[in-house]
Amino acid sequence: MSQTAMQNRRTTADTGFDVELREVFKFYGSEPAVRGIDLNIRKGEFFSILGPSGCGKTTTLRMIAGFESPSAGDLLIQGVGMNQTPPYRRPVNTVFQSYALFNHLTVAENVAFGLRLKKRSRREIEERVAESLKLVKMEKFSNRLPAQLSGGQQQRVALARALVNRPAVLLLDEPLGALDLKLRKEMQVELASLHRELGLTFVMVTHDQEEALSLSDRIGVMNQGKLEQVDTPDCIYEQPLTPFVADFIGDTNLFNGKIEGYHPNMLWVTTDRGLKMAVRPCDRGNAPTSGRVTVCVRPEKIGFSETQPTNSQVNWYEGRLRNVMYLGTHVHCQVQLQSGDYMTVRLPNNPAGIPAMDSLVYVYWPYQDCLALTSDLA
């Protein structure tokens, strides 16, 4: 390699990003699975790719791992182009939802498998296997077979096997999807702790919104092969840029309508069913100031009362309580407004304070707590 080429390579590698995708496409036949993704994942970041089934998130992860090749565009890991690099030569390791453990090998032998393929010395293998098992708190189970372990323990072994190779980037493909809810919560805490302790770059694919919000430094929300928004969890939830992101992340109430008036701090929107709303304009991206919009208001932002709100409330509407869902920590109430629209209201767990079904109720919220987004129907 020439001195100039080495300097260029070093310069590229010092960008502060462990993974870079530049205008990456992936086609299966004539069908695009991934469409022109631009993405930079920082060193040491916990990055999650979130989206519904078939959106292209797993295909994106498989391209980073080397199991799929981009049809167009460039993929770099630590500043080095990887389009033609096979999986076993990339500084990454993948943890799969199915664990993919060898049932005839012990825990220690499973973890050591990759090192043995690389012909490491016996002493190095023993030291690194012990180190990795200690990281995931599985050192006491080194002589057990996978069938003798619980699902959570098998997942820990899969993590140890990936970490023993000391990758620059750890790829997680729905890593907790096969676990029951309680164990899944416990493993989320374990993953977060492991990420903080190791300082590695984690890239996780999931369809679980709560998991992505609780674990990630940043989230990329995918839809139909494209990234609709890349942002911190709080911005993804509180300041979605598109109706899809608003609807996919958490619960929300959406109303399609048209802007009837504009002020730098407030929009006046008339919905398709005639509701008049005062709305906060989106202060990021291409904020609409005219035309059709989708108004987004989260259920927990909505007030709920059996008495009419004071005149200081800009947005308040009369309706009937049509359904109540008890969800343990909170209660979801479904209210049918006079316009015919249905709204979901999230209330603290206090069943005694919920009125009888079909009671007259009022819902209300400040204009700052609802957001106008460029409508998909524009």
Side-chain angles (χ1 to χ4, degrees):
M1 183 182 293
S2 69
Q3 186 176 0
T4 302
M6 289 178 66
Q7 288 174 342
N8 289 340
R9 178 168 173 162
R10 192 178 302 116
T11 300
T12 307
D14 292 340
T15 58
F17 302 120
D18 264 347
V19 179
E20 299 171 75
L21 284 77
R22 301 175 179 174
E23 280 295 304
V24 169
F25 287 80
K26 179 63 181 179
F27 290 89
Y28 293 106
S30 60
E31 292 296 319
V34 173
R35 300 189 290 171
I37 284 184
D38 278 307
L39 176 63
N40 295 325
I41 299 175
R42 301 166 188 145
K43 294 181 185 295
E45 184 172 33
F46 197 130
F47 189 93
S48 291
I49 304 174
L50 180 65
S53 297
C55 71
K57 60 185 186 294
T58 297
T59 301
T60 301
L61 194 79
R62 288 176 62 83
M63 285 192 288
I64 297 171
F67 303 136
E68 302 280 356
S69 298
S71 303
D74 295 309
L75 193 153
L76 296 85
I77 298 176
Q78 294 192 316
V80 179
M82 290 284 153
N83 286 31
Q84 307 302 321
T85 304
Y88 62 89
R89 292 193 180 278
R90 298 187 182 200
V92 304
N93 270 103
T94 306
V95 178
F96 300 97
Q97 179 180 343
S98 61
Y99 315 140
L101 300 177
F102 298 110
N103 291 324
H104 64 290
L105 300 181
T106 67
V107 166
E109 288 168 341
N110 265 283
V111 175
F113 186 80
L115 296 177
R116 288 205 171 103
L117 284 180
K118 294 178 179 178
K119 301 187 185 302
R120 303 298 188 191
S121 71
R122 181 175 177 177
R123 182 176 178 179
E124 182 183 358
I125 290 173
E126 289 176 352
E127 289 177 352
R128 287 172 62 172
V129 167
E131 179 185 274
S132 294
L133 288 176
K134 186 176 180 180
L135 274 173
V136 298
K137 303 173 184 176
M138 287 294 292
E139 61 267 36
K140 295 180 181 179
F141 300 88
S142 61
N143 292 321
R144 290 196 186 183
L145 294 171
Q148 298 170 317
L149 304 176
S150 68
Q153 289 170 335
Q154 290 184 49
Q155 186 60 278
R156 284 187 172 92
V157 176
L159 278 166
R161 187 179 59 184
L163 293 170
V164 78
N165 291 307
R166 298 175 180 171
V169 180
L170 185 66
L171 305 178
L172 303 157
D173 187 4
E174 300 277 4
L176 310 181
L179 305 179
D180 62 57
L181 181 61
K182 188 173 186 300
L183 189 53
R184 190 180 184 118
K185 299 291 186 187
E186 292 174 2
M187 284 300 296
Q188 286 175 6
V189 175
E190 295 282 352
L191 266 183
S193 299
L194 197 60
H195 176 254
R196 285 194 300 271
E197 183 176 348
L198 296 174
L200 293 178
T201 301
F202 281 25
V203 182
M204 181 175 71
V205 157
T206 182
H207 64 270
D208 187 310
Q209 305 149 28
E210 184 179 329
E211 190 168 275
L213 289 170
S214 62
L215 290 176
S216 310
D217 296 313
R218 287 191 304 152
I219 298 170
V221 182
M222 285 194 74
N223 180 31
Q224 298 181 346
K226 290 186 175 182
L227 281 169
E228 293 231 347
Q229 185 171 350
V230 176
D231 228 322
T232 59
D234 60 320
C235 284
I236 288 281
Y237 187 82
E238 299 288 352
Q239 301 181 61
L241 295 181
T242 69
F244 173 83
V245 174
D247 192 32
F248 187 76
I249 305 294
D251 297 318
T252 195
N253 297 283
L254 299 176
F255 301 90
N256 293 310
K258 185 178 180 181
I259 294 175
E260 302 288 354
Y262 168 71
H263 184 274
N265 298 318
M266 185 187 297
L267 301 174
W268 286 268
V269 175
T270 301
T271 72
D272 292 345
R273 290 191 171 184
L275 296 176
K276 307 292 185 181
M277 292 185 179
V279 182
R280 173 172 64 94
C282 181
D283 56 6
R284 306 170 77 239
N286 297 318
T289 57
S290 62
R292 292 190 60 80
V293 291
T294 296
V295 176
C296 160
V297 55
R298 298 289 186 186
E300 69 274 13
K301 305 288 189 184
I302 302 170
F304 180 89
S305 174
E306 292 183 83
T307 58
Q308 183 174 317
T310 63
N311 290 333
S312 62
Q313 287 292 343
V314 179
N315 298 314
W316 65 266
Y317 309 95
E318 184 180 306
R320 295 279 174 180
L321 182 61
R322 297 304 188 196
N323 192 27
V324 176
M325 294 180 65
Y326 176 76
L327 298 173
T329 57
H330 58 277
V331 178
H332 272 194
C333 296
Q334 189 178 54
V335 177
Q336 184 179 17
L337 306 183
Q338 288 183 324
S339 63
D341 293 293
Y342 282 85
M343 294 200 72
T344 299
V345 182
R346 180 172 177 168
L347 302 175
N349 182 0
N350 182 19
I354 305 298
M357 207 68 70
D358 296 322
S359 296
L360 178 67
V361 295
Y362 297 88
V363 295
Y364 54 91
W365 62 90
Y367 82 91
Q368 299 95 330
D369 286 339
C370 57
L371 189 63
L373 308 172
T374 302
S375 177
D376 289 337
L377 303 177

mmCIF file of all heavy atoms in Angstrom, residues 328-367:
data_model
loop_
_atom_site.group_PDB
_atom_site.id
_atom_site.type_symbol
_atom_site.label_atom_id
_atom_site.label_comp_id
_atom_site.label_asym_id
_atom_site.label_seq_id
_atom_site.Cartn_x
_atom_site.Cartn_y
_atom_site.Cartn_z
ATOM 1 N N GLY A 328 -52.518 -2.785 34.868
ATOM 2 C CA GLY A 328 -51.615 -2.911 36.008
ATOM 3 C C GLY A 328 -51.113 -1.575 36.492
ATOM 4 O O GLY A 328 -51.665 -0.982 37.414
ATOM 5 N N THR A 329 -50.047 -1.072 35.875
ATOM 6 C CA THR A 329 -49.458 0.196 36.320
ATOM 7 C C THR A 329 -50.289 1.403 35.894
ATOM 8 O O THR A 329 -50.130 2.484 36.445
ATOM 9 C CB THR A 329 -48.034 0.356 35.751
ATOM 10 O OG1 THR A 329 -48.098 0.271 34.320
ATOM 11 C CG2 THR A 329 -47.120 -0.746 36.289
ATOM 12 N N HIS A 330 -51.166 1.209 34.917
ATOM 13 C CA HIS A 330 -51.982 2.313 34.431
ATOM 14 C C HIS A 330 -53.275 1.777 33.811
ATOM 15 O O HIS A 330 -53.460 0.563 33.697
ATOM 16 C CB HIS A 330 -51.214 3.164 33.409
ATOM 17 C CG HIS A 330 -50.730 2.387 32.223
ATOM 18 N ND1 HIS A 330 -49.564 1.651 32.243
ATOM 19 C CD2 HIS A 330 -51.262 2.216 30.984
ATOM 20 C CE1 HIS A 330 -49.392 1.072 31.063
ATOM 21 N NE2 HIS A 330 -50.404 1.395 30.290
ATOM 22 N N VAL A 331 -54.125 2.715 33.415
ATOM 23 C CA VAL A 331 -55.417 2.368 32.818
ATOM 24 C C VAL A 331 -55.551 3.108 31.494
ATOM 25 O O VAL A 331 -55.239 4.299 31.413
ATOM 26 C CB VAL A 331 -56.579 2.760 33.763
ATOM 27 C CG1 VAL A 331 -57.921 2.443 33.107
ATOM 28 C CG2 VAL A 331 -56.451 2.039 35.095
ATOM 29 N N HIS A 332 -55.971 2.391 30.454
ATOM 30 C CA HIS A 332 -56.272 3.022 29.174
ATOM 31 C C HIS A 332 -57.777 3.217 29.053
ATOM 32 O O HIS A 332 -58.537 2.255 29.168
ATOM 33 C CB HIS A 332 -55.774 2.157 28.019
ATOM 34 C CG HIS A 332 -54.362 2.443 27.643
ATOM 35 N ND1 HIS A 332 -53.788 2.005 26.477
ATOM 36 C CD2 HIS A 332 -53.393 3.159 28.261
ATOM 37 C CE1 HIS A 332 -52.535 2.410 26.410
ATOM 38 N NE2 HIS A 332 -52.275 3.110 27.482
ATOM 39 N N CYS A 333 -58.183 4.448 28.822
ATOM 40 C CA CYS A 333 -59.602 4.761 28.621
ATOM 41 C C CYS A 333 -59.816 5.168 27.162
ATOM 42 O O CYS A 333 -59.055 5.993 26.633
ATOM 43 C CB CYS A 333 -60.047 5.897 29.534
ATOM 44 S SG CYS A 333 -59.945 5.495 31.287
ATOM 45 N N GLN A 334 -60.834 4.594 26.548
ATOM 46 C CA GLN A 334 -61.165 4.978 25.171
ATOM 47 C C GLN A 334 -62.402 5.865 25.204
ATOM 48 O O GLN A 334 -63.448 5.482 25.741
ATOM 49 C CB GLN A 334 -61.430 3.742 24.309
ATOM 50 C CG GLN A 334 -61.558 4.069 22.826
ATOM 51 C CD GLN A 334 -61.781 2.836 21.978
ATOM 52 O OE1 GLN A 334 -62.696 2.064 22.233
ATOM 53 N NE2 GLN A 334 -60.932 2.634 20.981
ATOM 54 N N VAL A 335 -62.248 7.055 24.638
ATOM 55 C CA VAL A 335 -63.319 8.046 24.643
ATOM 56 C C VAL A 335 -63.746 8.332 23.210
ATOM 57 O O VAL A 335 -62.901 8.563 22.342
ATOM 58 C CB VAL A 335 -62.845 9.355 25.321
ATOM 59 C CG1 VAL A 335 -63.939 10.417 25.249
ATOM 60 C CG2 VAL A 335 -62.436 9.086 26.767
ATOM 61 N N GLN A 336 -65.054 8.290 22.971
ATOM 62 C CA GLN A 336 -65.579 8.671 21.658
ATOM 63 C C GLN A 336 -66.049 10.116 21.725
ATOM 64 O O GLN A 336 -66.944 10.464 22.486
ATOM 65 C CB GLN A 336 -66.742 7.773 21.245
ATOM 66 C CG GLN A 336 -67.249 8.076 19.836
ATOM 67 C CD GLN A 336 -68.391 7.178 19.396
ATOM 68 O OE1 GLN A 336 -69.036 6.528 20.232
ATOM 69 N NE2 GLN A 336 -68.646 7.124 18.102
ATOM 70 N N LEU A 337 -65.417 10.976 20.929
ATOM 71 C CA LEU A 337 -65.764 12.387 20.912
ATOM 72 C C LEU A 337 -67.055 12.609 20.135
ATOM 73 O O LEU A 337 -67.512 11.746 19.378
ATOM 74 C CB LEU A 337 -64.622 13.197 20.286
ATOM 75 C CG LEU A 337 -63.222 13.012 20.902
ATOM 76 C CD1 LEU A 337 -62.228 13.935 20.212
ATOM 77 C CD2 LEU A 337 -63.240 13.256 22.397
ATOM 78 N N GLN A 338 -67.620 13.792 20.288
ATOM 79 C CA GLN A 338 -68.847 14.116 19.554
ATOM 80 C C GLN A 338 -68.626 14.079 18.050
ATOM 81 O O GLN A 338 -69.561 13.833 17.278
ATOM 82 C CB GLN A 338 -69.353 15.500 19.985
ATOM 83 C CG GLN A 338 -69.936 15.528 21.392
ATOM 84 C CD GLN A 338 -70.480 16.900 21.754
ATOM 85 O OE1 GLN A 338 -69.920 17.931 21.372
ATOM 86 N NE2 GLN A 338 -71.584 16.925 22.499
ATOM 87 N N SER A 339 -67.392 14.308 17.624
ATOM 88 C CA SER A 339 -67.072 14.265 16.188
ATOM 89 C C SER A 339 -67.087 12.845 15.633
ATOM 90 O O SER A 339 -67.058 12.652 14.425
ATOM 91 C CB SER A 339 -65.686 14.871 15.961
ATOM 92 O OG SER A 339 -64.696 14.093 16.623
ATOM 93 N N GLY A 340 -67.086 11.851 16.521
ATOM 94 C CA GLY A 340 -66.992 10.458 16.098
ATOM 95 C C GLY A 340 -65.594 9.888 16.258
ATOM 96 O O GLY A 340 -65.405 8.673 16.197
ATOM 97 N N ASP A 341 -64.579 10.746 16.461
ATOM 98 C CA ASP A 341 -63.209 10.285 16.675
ATOM 99 C C ASP A 341 -63.101 9.541 18.005
ATOM 100 O O ASP A 341 -63.776 9.884 18.980
ATOM 101 C CB ASP A 341 -62.249 11.481 16.705
ATOM 102 C CG ASP A 341 -62.140 12.169 15.360
ATOM 103 O OD1 ASP A 341 -61.612 11.550 14.430
ATOM 104 O OD2 ASP A 341 -62.584 13.331 15.250
ATOM 105 N N TYR A 342 -62.222 8.543 18.030
ATOM 106 C CA TYR A 342 -61.908 7.844 19.269
ATOM 107 C C TYR A 342 -60.530 8.284 19.754
ATOM 108 O O TYR A 342 -59.598 8.408 18.965
ATOM 109 C CB TYR A 342 -61.911 6.329 19.054
ATOM 110 C CG TYR A 342 -63.296 5.727 19.000
ATOM 111 C CD1 TYR A 342 -64.026 5.691 17.811
ATOM 112 C CD2 TYR A 342 -63.896 5.196 20.151
ATOM 113 C CE1 TYR A 342 -65.301 5.149 17.762
ATOM 114 C CE2 TYR A 342 -65.165 4.644 20.111
ATOM 115 C CZ TYR A 342 -65.867 4.620 18.912
ATOM 116 O OH TYR A 342 -67.133 4.078 18.871
ATOM 117 N N MET A 343 -60.420 8.502 21.055
ATOM 118 C CA MET A 343 -59.147 8.887 21.660
ATOM 119 C C MET A 343 -58.796 7.914 22.777
ATOM 120 O O MET A 343 -59.678 7.464 23.518
ATOM 121 C CB MET A 343 -59.214 10.304 22.240
ATOM 122 C CG MET A 343 -59.386 11.398 21.226
ATOM 123 S SD MET A 343 -58.871 13.004 21.908
ATOM 124 C CE MET A 343 -57.102 12.804 21.945
ATOM 125 N N THR A 344 -57.507 7.615 22.903
ATOM 126 C CA THR A 344 -57.018 6.821 24.026
ATOM 127 C C THR A 344 -56.387 7.758 25.042
ATOM 128 O O THR A 344 -55.558 8.595 24.695
ATOM 129 C CB THR A 344 -55.990 5.786 23.557
ATOM 130 O OG1 THR A 344 -56.614 4.892 22.628
ATOM 131 C CG2 THR A 344 -55.462 4.975 24.732
ATOM 132 N N VAL A 345 -56.789 7.606 26.305
ATOM 133 C CA VAL A 345 -56.264 8.417 27.398
ATOM 134 C C VAL A 345 -55.596 7.469 28.388
ATOM 135 O O VAL A 345 -56.187 6.462 28.787
ATOM 136 C CB VAL A 345 -57.388 9.205 28.096
ATOM 137 C CG1 VAL A 345 -56.812 10.093 29.199
ATOM 138 C CG2 VAL A 345 -58.170 10.032 27.080
ATOM 139 N N ARG A 346 -54.383 7.778 28.784
ATOM 140 C CA ARG A 346 -53.650 6.950 29.741
ATOM 141 C C ARG A 346 -53.686 7.612 31.111
ATOM 142 O O ARG A 346 -53.238 8.753 31.273
ATOM 143 C CB ARG A 346 -52.207 6.765 29.282
ATOM 144 C CG ARG A 346 -51.372 5.910 30.215
ATOM 145 C CD ARG A 346 -50.025 5.606 29.602
ATOM 146 N NE ARG A 346 -49.169 4.848 30.510
ATOM 147 C CZ ARG A 346 -48.038 4.261 30.137
ATOM 148 N NH1 ARG A 346 -47.633 4.362 28.868
ATOM 149 N NH2 ARG A 346 -47.314 3.599 31.005
ATOM 150 N N LEU A 347 -54.212 6.878 32.104
ATOM 151 C CA LEU A 347 -54.370 7.411 33.449
ATOM 152 C C LEU A 347 -53.603 6.561 34.453
ATOM 153 O O LEU A 347 -53.385 5.369 34.221
ATOM 154 C CB LEU A 347 -55.855 7.420 33.830
ATOM 155 C CG LEU A 347 -56.797 8.213 32.916
ATOM 156 C CD1 LEU A 347 -58.234 8.022 33.367
ATOM 157 C CD2 LEU A 347 -56.429 9.692 32.930
ATOM 158 N N PRO A 348 -53.198 7.145 35.591
ATOM 159 C CA PRO A 348 -52.577 6.340 36.648
ATOM 160 C C PRO A 348 -53.544 5.269 37.141
ATOM 161 O O PRO A 348 -54.765 5.391 36.973
ATOM 162 C CB PRO A 348 -52.282 7.375 37.747
ATOM 163 C CG PRO A 348 -52.313 8.697 37.062
ATOM 164 C CD PRO A 348 -53.279 8.568 35.925
ATOM 165 N N ASN A 349 -52.991 4.221 37.751
ATOM 166 C CA ASN A 349 -53.804 3.113 38.233
ATOM 167 C C ASN A 349 -54.634 3.552 39.439
ATOM 168 O O ASN A 349 -54.157 3.577 40.563
ATOM 169 C CB ASN A 349 -52.903 1.931 38.615
ATOM 170 C CG ASN A 349 -53.708 0.735 39.088
ATOM 171 O OD1 ASN A 349 -54.927 0.768 39.129
ATOM 172 N ND2 ASN A 349 -53.014 -0.315 39.461
ATOM 173 N N ASN A 350 -55.876 3.911 39.160
ATOM 174 C CA ASN A 350 -56.819 4.293 40.218
ATOM 175 C C ASN A 350 -58.221 3.957 39.728
ATOM 176 O O ASN A 350 -59.002 4.847 39.383
ATOM 177 C CB ASN A 350 -56.693 5.783 40.540
ATOM 178 C CG ASN A 350 -57.631 6.211 41.661
ATOM 179 O OD1 ASN A 350 -58.109 5.375 42.437
ATOM 180 N ND2 ASN A 350 -57.919 7.510 41.747
ATOM 181 N N PRO A 351 -58.554 2.646 39.669
ATOM 182 C CA PRO A 351 -59.845 2.233 39.102
ATOM 183 C C PRO A 351 -61.043 2.891 39.767
ATOM 184 O O PRO A 351 -62.073 3.112 39.130
ATOM 185 C CB PRO A 351 -59.843 0.711 39.337
ATOM 186 C CG PRO A 351 -58.408 0.344 39.456
ATOM 187 C CD PRO A 351 -57.746 1.507 40.106
ATOM 188 N N ALA A 352 -60.916 3.238 41.056
ATOM 189 C CA ALA A 352 -62.038 3.859 41.758
ATOM 190 C C ALA A 352 -62.379 5.225 41.170
ATOM 191 O O ALA A 352 -63.510 5.710 41.311
ATOM 192 C CB ALA A 352 -61.725 3.990 43.249
ATOM 193 N N GLY A 353 -61.393 5.858 40.519
ATOM 194 C CA GLY A 353 -61.633 7.181 39.962
ATOM 195 C C GLY A 353 -62.158 7.170 38.538
ATOM 196 O O GLY A 353 -62.371 8.230 37.952
ATOM 197 N N ILE A 354 -62.388 5.990 37.958
ATOM 198 C CA ILE A 354 -62.883 5.884 36.580
ATOM 199 C C ILE A 354 -64.400 5.892 36.593
ATOM 200 O O ILE A 354 -65.029 5.090 37.311
ATOM 201 C CB ILE A 354 -62.374 4.593 35.908
ATOM 202 C CG1 ILE A 354 -60.849 4.523 35.970
ATOM 203 C CG2 ILE A 354 -62.864 4.520 34.462
ATOM 204 C CD1 ILE A 354 -60.138 5.623 35.244
ATOM 205 N N PRO A 355 -65.043 6.787 35.838
ATOM 206 C CA PRO A 355 -66.514 6.822 35.823
ATOM 207 C C PRO A 355 -67.113 5.598 35.144
ATOM 208 O O PRO A 355 -66.410 4.803 34.526
ATOM 209 C CB PRO A 355 -66.818 8.099 35.040
ATOM 210 C CG PRO A 355 -65.596 8.355 34.220
ATOM 211 C CD PRO A 355 -64.439 7.825 35.008
ATOM 212 N N ALA A 356 -68.401 5.465 35.245
ATOM 213 C CA ALA A 356 -69.102 4.323 34.649
ATOM 214 C C ALA A 356 -69.045 4.403 33.126
ATOM 215 O O ALA A 356 -68.893 5.486 32.536
ATOM 216 C CB ALA A 356 -70.554 4.313 35.115
ATOM 217 N N MET A 357 -69.155 3.240 32.513
ATOM 218 C CA MET A 357 -69.133 3.171 31.060
ATOM 219 C C MET A 357 -70.257 4.013 30.464
ATOM 220 O O MET A 357 -71.355 4.087 31.019
ATOM 221 C CB MET A 357 -69.267 1.719 30.608
ATOM 222 C CG MET A 357 -68.636 1.433 29.261
ATOM 223 S SD MET A 357 -66.839 1.557 29.347
ATOM 224 C CE MET A 357 -66.447 0.124 30.316
ATOM 225 N N ASP A 358 -69.957 4.673 29.337
ATOM 226 C CA ASP A 358 -70.883 5.542 28.598
ATOM 227 C C ASP A 358 -71.174 6.860 29.317
ATOM 228 O O ASP A 358 -72.070 7.609 28.909
ATOM 229 C CB ASP A 358 -72.201 4.820 28.267
ATOM 230 C CG ASP A 358 -71.992 3.647 27.327
ATOM 231 O OD1 ASP A 358 -71.144 3.760 26.413
ATOM 232 O OD2 ASP A 358 -72.652 2.604 27.503
ATOM 233 N N SER A 359 -70.405 7.154 30.384
ATOM 234 C CA SER A 359 -70.569 8.438 31.066
ATOM 235 C C SER A 359 -70.088 9.582 30.178
ATOM 236 O O SER A 359 -69.210 9.415 29.322
ATOM 237 C CB SER A 359 -69.762 8.461 32.370
ATOM 238 O OG SER A 359 -70.238 7.515 33.267
ATOM 239 N N LEU A 360 -70.681 10.763 30.400
ATOM 240 C CA LEU A 360 -70.209 11.968 29.736
ATOM 241 C C LEU A 360 -68.885 12.377 30.371
ATOM 242 O O LEU A 360 -68.775 12.519 31.589
ATOM 243 C CB LEU A 360 -71.225 13.092 29.891
ATOM 244 C CG LEU A 360 -70.851 14.451 29.271
ATOM 245 C CD1 LEU A 360 -70.804 14.349 27.755
ATOM 246 C CD2 LEU A 360 -71.848 15.527 29.707
ATOM 247 N N VAL A 361 -67.843 12.580 29.537
ATOM 248 C CA VAL A 361 -66.522 12.964 30.041
ATOM 249 C C VAL A 361 -65.943 14.041 29.129
ATOM 250 O O VAL A 361 -66.439 14.288 28.022
ATOM 251 C CB VAL A 361 -65.552 11.749 30.103
ATOM 252 C CG1 VAL A 361 -66.029 10.722 31.121
ATOM 253 C CG2 VAL A 361 -65.373 11.117 28.729
ATOM 254 N N TYR A 362 -64.865 14.648 29.604
ATOM 255 C CA TYR A 362 -64.162 15.662 28.832
ATOM 256 C C TYR A 362 -62.680 15.290 28.760
ATOM 257 O O TYR A 362 -62.099 14.826 29.745
ATOM 258 C CB TYR A 362 -64.315 17.042 29.472
ATOM 259 C CG TYR A 362 -65.731 17.533 29.505
ATOM 260 C CD1 TYR A 362 -66.560 17.219 30.583
ATOM 261 C CD2 TYR A 362 -66.247 18.287 28.457
ATOM 262 C CE1 TYR A 362 -67.870 17.655 30.618
ATOM 263 C CE2 TYR A 362 -67.568 18.729 28.483
ATOM 264 C CZ TYR A 362 -68.377 18.399 29.558
ATOM 265 O OH TYR A 362 -69.678 18.825 29.587
ATOM 266 N N VAL A 363 -62.101 15.496 27.605
ATOM 267 C CA VAL A 363 -60.660 15.326 27.442
ATOM 268 C C VAL A 363 -60.068 16.683 27.066
ATOM 269 O O VAL A 363 -60.716 17.483 26.387
ATOM 270 C CB VAL A 363 -60.318 14.263 26.377
ATOM 271 C CG1 VAL A 363 -60.792 12.886 26.813
ATOM 272 C CG2 VAL A 363 -60.911 14.626 25.020
ATOM 273 N N TYR A 364 -58.835 16.921 27.496
ATOM 274 C CA TYR A 364 -58.228 18.242 27.251
ATOM 275 C C TYR A 364 -56.717 18.133 27.352
ATOM 276 O O TYR A 364 -56.164 17.229 27.994
ATOM 277 C CB TYR A 364 -58.753 19.280 28.247
ATOM 278 C CG TYR A 364 -58.598 18.881 29.686
ATOM 279 C CD1 TYR A 364 -57.459 19.216 30.416
ATOM 280 C CD2 TYR A 364 -59.598 18.146 30.325
ATOM 281 C CE1 TYR A 364 -57.307 18.844 31.733
ATOM 282 C CE2 TYR A 364 -59.460 17.762 31.659
ATOM 283 C CZ TYR A 364 -58.322 18.109 32.355
ATOM 284 O OH TYR A 364 -58.164 17.728 33.667
ATOM 285 N N TRP A 365 -56.021 19.069 26.681
ATOM 286 C CA TRP A 365 -54.568 19.121 26.741
ATOM 287 C C TRP A 365 -54.069 20.489 26.267
ATOM 288 O O TRP A 365 -54.726 21.137 25.438
ATOM 289 C CB TRP A 365 -53.925 18.015 25.897
ATOM 290 C CG TRP A 365 -54.228 18.094 24.428
ATOM 291 C CD1 TRP A 365 -53.525 18.766 23.463
ATOM 292 C CD2 TRP A 365 -55.335 17.486 23.752
ATOM 293 N NE1 TRP A 365 -54.106 18.609 22.236
ATOM 294 C CE2 TRP A 365 -55.224 17.819 22.376
ATOM 295 C CE3 TRP A 365 -56.404 16.682 24.159
ATOM 296 C CZ2 TRP A 365 -56.142 17.380 21.427
ATOM 297 C CZ3 TRP A 365 -57.314 16.234 23.210
ATOM 298 C CH2 TRP A 365 -57.175 16.591 21.859
ATOM 299 N N PRO A 366 -52.924 20.953 26.768
ATOM 300 C CA PRO A 366 -52.339 22.212 26.296
ATOM 301 C C PRO A 366 -51.836 22.063 24.857
ATOM 302 O O PRO A 366 -51.467 20.963 24.428
ATOM 303 C CB PRO A 366 -51.164 22.449 27.259
ATOM 304 C CG PRO A 366 -51.383 21.520 28.402
ATOM 305 C CD PRO A 366 -52.151 20.359 27.869
ATOM 306 N N TYR A 367 -51.789 23.166 24.155
ATOM 307 C CA TYR A 367 -51.327 23.104 22.764
ATOM 308 C C TYR A 367 -49.878 22.635 22.668
ATOM 309 O O TYR A 367 -49.470 22.028 21.681
ATOM 310 C CB TYR A 367 -51.505 24.462 22.065
ATOM 311 C CG TYR A 367 -50.406 25.471 22.327
ATOM 312 C CD1 TYR A 367 -49.290 25.556 21.498
ATOM 313 C CD2 TYR A 367 -50.476 26.338 23.420
ATOM 314 C CE1 TYR A 367 -48.280 26.469 21.740
ATOM 315 C CE2 TYR A 367 -49.473 27.251 23.671
ATOM 316 C CZ TYR A 367 -48.384 27.320 22.830
ATOM 317 O OH TYR A 367 -47.378 28.218 23.070
#
